[in-house]
Amino acid sequence: MQTAMKTTKNAASSRVWQSLPRHLRRRAASHNSRRVPVRLREKAKKEMDPAKRKLLKALIAKAGKYKRLTRTETLQKRQRNKRWLETHIWHAKRMKMENIWGYRLVSHLLPRIPACVEPNEALHPTEKSMRPSHRAAVHGCILHDSSYMAIIELKGELLVLKRVLLRVCGPLGISATAARFTNGSRICYAEMYEDASYPFGFISPVQVIWEPRTSSSKHTKPTGGPKSTETETQQGSQKTTDDNRRIWLRLHPMSYEKASRALTNAVMSVLELERLAGNPSVAVEIADLRDHFCCFDLIGPKSSQVIHGALVLDKLQNEEQKKHFWSRLATLRTPAGCSRGMIIGLHVHDPRLTFPPKNAQIDEQNEQQLFVITPTPALATSQLWSEQVRTNLQKPRFTKQDLDGRRSKQLVPGTPLVPLRQDDRVPLLMMQRSLEPPASTALEEHEYNGPVMHGWTVITPFGWGMAFLSSLIFTGSRVGGLREVKSQALESGMPHFPDDFSGTLFGDESQQGRGMAAKAKWDRTPPAKRPSYTSLGTISPFSPDWVGICGVTADPTREEGFAGTQRANKAPVKPWLFYGQNTKSIVVELIAAEDPSVTLLDSLNSARGIRELPKLELAASDVLKGALILVRVEMIDRGVPTDMSIIYGLETTDGASNPSPNEIVGYITSGGMSLSRGKGFGIGTISLAKLLTFIKRQEYRTHRGLTLLIRESHGEIFRKALIEIV
């Protein structure tokens, strides 16, 4: 009786669409009864008002018979000023989208933005809470479609390609030309600069992938599917000679044009040197591969089981090492057990044949403790490098309707389809991915205690986005947008490009754009409802004032495209970002140095000398004055550092008096409540010259690290926080 009474009450006070769970609700469901589950359609039809429905149809103007556009033409018309990913329609039905970087992507801004500085483009996500996404990244699996990432291909002789990379990649840390990367078994994470401009002219982080070289690759036959022929035997990695190599540079779409020009300048410089050395026949090919791949980033300990359950390895693949890896992948508890950046090339069947997939289960009794597969070039070989194979697979041979017809003829409903000879075999690359900062040095007296997230990046040919997405997310993998990607970087203590890269071209452009939107929002707010930044003493509330903090002179007439020494001699030094793998060790040397500016310039010239670049002809004091450095900010007690929070130095040991505006050392570029730490955390940028001054003063040093003050741009309270160099 109670159940009947409750059902009757709900039927009288709520409609069908209100009874659905949140993830099944659609905005157009109230106008179309077929958008609700089958069991509720009859009730939905009864709840619709026939009169209003008839009036709505009458108001819709019908196009003429010869003016009607097909669905494909309509969708192409909507992509005139932006690009859509293959999975755009799937995402658009479930997430908030915005136009950014020339694409139509999921909103990426964090939800915890003060009302007084909230930008116009801060679209609220369908699910406002970040906890489910964080829980999936730490304990489960979360997927992100990163097909918008740009890929540039360089093809030429090995030594020539190495010289090109040495001119555009940062010299700190392990070089992208090291043997561990050139054999193609691992991916290299580096920083790209303008041609011969290090440490100035930072463009963006870049991932360098070398084409693997093995002795048996010459006899490997492409297996791209039924369209592969005997003439394809010499395609891909089999066509090049031992001296002819290929590399892929995977970088942010915002920096593609700048990176392409930098690579062109570097290639021209190297070819000119080769011509002077008596090698006029040397050539380098540069290709744009932005529309050749679909990429998925899977983060979480269960990402290995998701991939193993969604895909089926081609049995015609005879490489025993790859078969052994595939069998061990199902029992891998976390991708952290693999070597960092290892690459695996596989051939899998069409994932639609085995839909719906089931996640692989770890056998607790027979589980092996160690994952002892070593990255090798043979394990990384893949026909994905072949342009002809990618072209043949650009459109699947069978449509979903064809596969459903085959599935309907199965004797037992729901059984997977048996792959036939004419079915597609799809080549792909799997790359291990870890979001972790470099190891700490003697500068900090406490170890980094933030979470380290691990996962995989899967790269498939273009045209297979929805086929792989449907299988990868069916078993419970959560899907995230750009907001989740930035949140993962913040939780891992890593800077997010371009928002956190102050002192760079695209970092400043991103911060200025967000500042203009925040200023427009503040202007529209009534004076009684908005903070008075003048009364609060906030000099630059909307965007960082790096010129004022560093005390350097900006040059608006500065031209781009010159070499590093030419630019240095013709333009003054402006704020620049000191970033790289060995940044901490260099800062430690500067602390103990008698003249930090001279030591810094010597370190930069020494790094340039390793790359055979000329020395910088600049004043050492100007170089140190304009240097910016990235830091992690962790609150000691209460408080949450939000975007554009101000970082101050301590005037006294106890911090009882509020610091003056002259004590400003930097800003927080990304901040919020860290779910893994249970306290406020953020990524900021501070002046290197002021950092060295504070480190030498003992009142800033505690047993936990370097202590500074944080104040929100619209707040009055100063709170203590620990600073750690990224």
Side-chain angles (χ1 to χ4, degrees):
M1 179 182 296
Q2 293 179 354
T3 304
M5 292 174 60
K6 185 177 180 180
T7 304
T8 305
K9 181 181 179 180
N10 293 337
S13 61
S14 63
R15 305 187 66 182
V16 170
W17 296 275
Q18 295 174 318
S19 63
L20 295 175
R22 184 178 297 179
H23 68 280
L24 289 180
R25 297 181 186 180
R26 300 291 182 269
R27 289 175 293 178
S30 58
H31 305 287
N32 189 352
S33 60
R34 302 188 66 179
R35 290 183 177 268
V36 299
V38 179
R39 60 183 177 84
L40 299 175
R41 288 180 184 174
E42 291 299 327
K43 185 179 178 181
K45 292 179 180 179
K46 296 178 182 179
E47 292 179 353
M48 298 184 68
D49 190 349
K52 291 185 178 179
R53 186 174 183 179
K54 184 176 181 180
L55 179 62
L56 181 64
K57 289 185 177 181
L59 295 177
I60 298 177
K62 295 184 179 180
K65 179 179 179 181
Y66 298 100
K67 295 182 180 179
R68 296 175 182 174
L69 299 177
T70 63
R71 177 175 173 84
T72 303
E73 293 173 342
T74 303
L75 297 180
Q76 291 178 349
K77 185 178 180 180
R78 295 166 59 185
Q79 303 180 48
R80 290 179 177 177
N81 59 344
K82 55 187 175 296
R83 293 185 181 185
W84 283 6
L85 303 183
E86 287 189 30
T87 59
H88 169 80
I89 296 180
W90 188 95
H91 283 91
K93 291 179 179 179
R94 297 161 177 85
M95 302 181 181
K96 299 294 183 179
M97 315 293 287
E98 69 169 320
N99 298 331
I100 184 172
W101 310 324
Y103 289 87
R104 182 71 174 173
L105 301 177
V106 182
S107 178
H108 71 291
L109 295 179
L110 289 172
R112 297 184 180 91
I113 301 179
C116 57
V117 295
E118 184 175 3
N120 293 336
E121 67 270 18
L123 304 179
H124 294 288
T126 304
E127 295 187 2
K128 299 178 177 60
S129 176
M130 288 295 299
R131 291 184 182 273
S133 299
H134 174 73
R135 190 181 300 114
V138 175
H139 302 291
C141 176
I142 183 171
L143 179 143
H144 172 67
D145 187 355
S146 59
S147 303
Y148 56 86
M149 295 290 288
I151 296 182
I152 303 176
E153 181 182 80
L154 297 181
K155 183 179 179 181
E157 294 185 4
L158 175 62
L159 296 179
V160 176
L161 293 181
K162 285 185 175 181
R163 297 180 66 178
V164 171
L165 291 180
L166 291 177
R167 294 183 66 91
V168 297
C169 291
L172 300 181
I174 303 177
S175 171
T177 61
R180 61 183 304 180
F181 300 125
T182 56
N183 61 7
S185 61
R186 292 180 176 88
I187 183 174
C188 176
Y189 296 92
E191 301 82 34
M192 176 174 284
Y193 295 82
E194 296 179 17
D195 179 31
S197 299
Y198 177 83
F200 311 111
F202 182 92
I203 298 178
S204 73
V206 63
Q207 303 173 15
V208 183
I209 309 173
W210 286 82
E211 179 187 17
R213 301 297 301 165
T214 60
S215 58
S216 60
S217 61
K218 301 179 180 180
H219 310 288
T220 306
K221 180 179 177 180
T223 57
K227 302 175 186 177
S228 299
T229 60
E230 296 294 337
T231 58
E232 295 177 359
T233 310
Q234 302 300 323
Q235 293 294 326
S237 59
Q238 292 74 33
K239 184 177 180 179
T240 59
T241 61
D242 292 340
D243 295 333
N244 231 9
R245 297 295 299 276
R246 230 180 325 199
I247 56 176
W248 288 346
L249 302 178
R250 189 167 180 257
L251 40 81
H252 197 275
M254 189 179 187
S255 59
Y256 169 77
E257 298 294 339
K258 193 74 173 180
S260 180
R261 290 195 296 267
L263 288 172
T264 302
N265 295 336
V267 168
M268 294 176 62
S269 301
V270 172
L271 294 183
E272 179 65 19
L273 295 176
E274 291 290 335
R275 187 186 64 82
L276 296 177
N279 301 323
S281 60
V282 177
V284 177
E285 300 179 10
I286 304 178
D288 179 11
L289 302 184
R290 282 183 291 181
D291 293 329
H292 288 238
F293 304 98
C294 293
C295 306
F296 301 98
D297 294 335
L298 292 90
I299 295 294
K302 295 184 179 180
S303 56
S304 303
Q305 285 72 36
V306 170
I307 296 176
H308 191 277
L311 307 179
V312 177
L313 194 65
D314 183 14
K315 295 182 179 179
L316 299 179
Q317 193 164 258
N318 297 324
E319 293 87 344
E320 293 297 331
Q321 191 176 6
K322 295 183 179 180
K323 291 183 178 180
H324 178 58
F325 167 81
W326 189 253
S327 62
R328 294 284 291 110
L329 183 66
T331 61
L332 186 62
R333 281 196 171 275
T334 171
C338 302
S339 299
R340 297 295 186 266
M342 73 177 302
I343 302 176
I344 304 96
L346 301 173
H347 281 85
V348 298
H349 290 290
D350 188 343
R352 299 174 298 173
L353 298 176
T354 56
F355 190 87
K358 294 182 180 179
N359 283 351
Q361 301 296 329
I362 299 178
D363 189 357
E364 301 289 348
Q365 298 179 354
N366 299 328
E367 179 188 6
Q368 299 181 10
Q369 297 297 327
L370 297 177
F371 189 86
V372 291
I373 296 181
T374 305
T376 60
L379 187 62
T381 55
S382 174
Q383 291 301 320
L384 195 64
W385 288 89
S386 171
E387 183 178 359
Q388 184 172 353
V389 172
R390 296 197 304 264
T391 303
N392 292 341
L393 289 170
Q394 202 165 23
K395 184 177 180 181
R397 181 178 177 86
F398 297 104
T399 63
K400 185 177 182 298
Q401 182 179 5
D402 298 335
L403 298 180
D404 291 341
R406 288 171 52 183
R407 192 174 285 108
S408 64
K409 299 178 182 179
Q410 295 280 89
L411 295 179
V412 180
T415 57
L417 295 177
V418 178
L420 304 178
R421 181 183 58 84
Q422 60 269 27
D423 287 328
D424 290 318
R425 273 75 174 174
V426 185
L428 59 85
L429 286 178
M430 287 180 56
M431 299 181 295
Q432 195 275 349
R433 181 166 175 258
S434 296
L435 297 176
E436 58 180 353
S440 60
T441 60
L443 180 63
E444 300 87 16
E445 299 179 8
H446 69 287
E447 294 295 332
Y448 173 73
N449 57 357
V452 178
M453 299 182 182
H454 307 273
W456 298 95
T457 296
V458 179
I459 302 181
T460 67
F462 184 82
W464 290 86
M466 279 306 304
F468 278 81
L469 178 69
S470 301
S471 296
L472 291 174
I473 67 175
F474 185 81
T475 54
S477 299
R478 192 173 181 84
V479 180
L482 298 177
R483 185 196 67 171
E484 283 72 23
V485 173
K486 185 174 181 179
S487 176
Q488 293 169 11
L490 181 63
E491 292 288 348
S492 302
M494 298 295 293
H496 179 262
F497 185 84
D499 298 341
D500 296 331
F501 283 75
S502 305
T504 66
L505 175 64
F506 299 109
D508 293 342
E509 180 180 334
S510 175
Q511 294 171 2
Q512 293 295 332
R514 298 171 66 186
M516 293 175 60
K519 179 65 166 56
K521 173 69 175 180
W522 186 83
D523 291 337
R524 294 193 304 268
T525 307
K529 303 295 182 181
R530 68 189 185 189
S532 176
Y533 294 115
T534 304
S535 302
L536 294 172
T538 305
I539 301 177
S540 181
F542 304 111
S543 60
D545 181 20
W546 300 119
V547 175
I549 292 178
C550 297
V552 297
T553 303
D555 183 14
T557 62
R558 175 179 174 181
E559 298 181 358
E560 301 291 343
F562 293 97
T565 53
Q566 294 175 334
R567 186 189 300 111
N569 293 331
K570 295 185 178 181
V573 175
K574 68 175 187 178
W576 59 279
L577 182 65
F578 183 39
Y579 179 72
Q581 297 181 21
N582 295 340
T583 303
K584 288 184 178 181
S585 59
I586 296 180
V587 173
V588 172
E589 296 178 0
L590 298 180
I591 296 174
E594 195 173 318
D595 189 348
S597 59
V598 176
T599 305
L600 176 61
L601 184 60
D602 292 342
S603 300
L604 297 178
N605 285 329
S606 176
R608 290 175 60 89
I610 297 176
R611 301 297 175 91
E612 300 180 356
L613 301 178
K615 292 185 178 181
L616 296 173
E617 299 178 1
L618 295 170
S621 58
D622 293 341
V623 175
L624 178 61
K625 186 184 298 183
L628 300 175
I629 194 167
L630 296 177
V631 295
R632 302 184 193 92
V633 179
E634 182 176 338
M635 305 304 294
I636 296 179
D637 296 319
R638 301 178 59 184
V640 176
T642 57
D643 295 355
M644 282 303 301
S645 294
I646 307 171
I647 306 176
Y648 291 86
L650 288 171
E651 291 185 347
T652 59
T653 306
D654 55 359
S657 60
N658 295 336
S660 63
N662 296 330
E663 293 291 327
I664 298 177
V665 298
Y667 293 91
I668 300 293
T669 53
S670 295
M673 173 60 70
S674 176
L675 299 177
S676 58
R677 299 172 180 84
K679 60 176 66 175
F681 183 80
I683 299 294
T685 308
I686 62 178
S687 170
L688 177 59
K690 294 186 177 181
L691 173 66
L692 296 176
T693 303
F694 297 143
I695 290 180
K696 293 181 179 180
R697 295 167 59 179
Q698 293 298 325
E699 59 263 27
Y700 294 95
R701 298 298 299 268
T702 65
H703 68 283
R704 299 178 60 185
L706 182 65
T707 305
L708 295 178
L709 293 180
I710 306 295
R711 180 180 73 87
E712 292 184 293
S713 59
H714 60 280
E716 300 178 352
I717 302 177
F718 293 81
R719 300 187 186 277
K720 290 186 178 181
L722 296 177
I723 303 296
E724 178 186 3
I725 297 178
V726 174

